[in-house]
Amino acid sequence: MELAGRPRTRSALASLFLFLSVPLFMAVAATPARADFRVCNATQSLVGVGIGYRAKAGWITEGWWHIEGSTCKTLIEGPLSSRFYYLYAEDAERGGRWDGPINMCVAEKEFKIAGVTDCVARGFQRAGFQEYDTGEQANWMVQLTDEPATGGPTAASGTNGQ
């Protein structure tokens, strides 16, 4: 008789566990996937990063995010609203940069600048940004490295960060 009671106890405990874990699983499954634009610094140096994008009101550039070596930062939180984003970064310790052919405005200190023309005349600096085509993904990650990315002259690569 003692043996007959044990399977029932196990069955009852298993049912209780299942009953209690289903709401927890449902809550975790209902949590939306993280969507954002992140930059990861795979170097050992501190890096300053600026981003450019087209908003409803026109072109915007923002910066500076300071990203320590071997860390990542989110530049834009939430699902991405544009297909193309532009990135410029400077190595604060060794003086190198990750740039590209698209000219946009930056400032010496923290900035959010509307427009990409007449940078110098408006009191800003002009910098070359690299274009990233996110393919309208909701999430994107760019990794800054010491070595050039495969097949390209820049040392930054972008991927759907999922």
Side-chain angles (χ1 to χ4, degrees), residues 2-149:
E2 192 174 302
L3 293 175
R6 285 190 180 181
R8 284 189 195 144
T9 304
R10 281 190 204 140
S11 178
L13 286 174
S15 294
L16 180 62
F17 176 76
L18 183 60
F19 176 75
L20 294 175
S21 64
V22 167
L24 177 64
F25 174 77
M26 295 297 283
V28 171
T31 303
R34 183 176 179 140
D36 51 27
F37 191 101
R38 293 174 51 83
V39 175
C40 292
N41 177 6
T43 75
Q44 297 305 309
S45 300
L46 174 67
V47 172
V49 177
I51 191 167
Y53 54 91
R54 184 144 180 102
K56 289 180 183 177
W59 289 102
I60 302 288
T61 54
E62 294 185 63
W64 296 104
W65 283 268
H66 297 112
I67 307 174
E68 299 286 338
S70 301
T71 65
C72 299
K73 277 221 175 145
T74 298
L75 276 55
I76 297 175
E77 293 183 8
L80 302 179
S81 59
S82 295
R83 178 175 175 174
F84 296 96
Y85 288 86
Y86 302 84
L87 202 70
Y88 174 80
E90 292 183 353
D91 185 318
E93 296 170 10
R94 296 182 294 173
R97 70 173 70 83
W98 294 264
D99 57 4
I102 310 298
N103 289 319
M104 295 184 166
C105 304
V106 297
E108 193 137 333
K109 298 190 185 225
E110 185 176 327
F111 64 91
K112 184 171 185 176
I113 303 169
V116 295
T117 58
D118 301 321
C119 297
V120 175
R122 295 189 297 145
F124 304 116
Q125 300 163 6
R126 191 173 69 172
F129 283 64
Q130 181 64 45
E131 178 181 87
Y132 290 91
D133 181 353
T134 66
E136 298 181 356
Q137 297 290 321
N139 191 45
W140 199 258
M141 191 257 313
V142 173
Q143 181 155 328
L144 305 175
T145 62
D146 284 325
E147 298 299 320

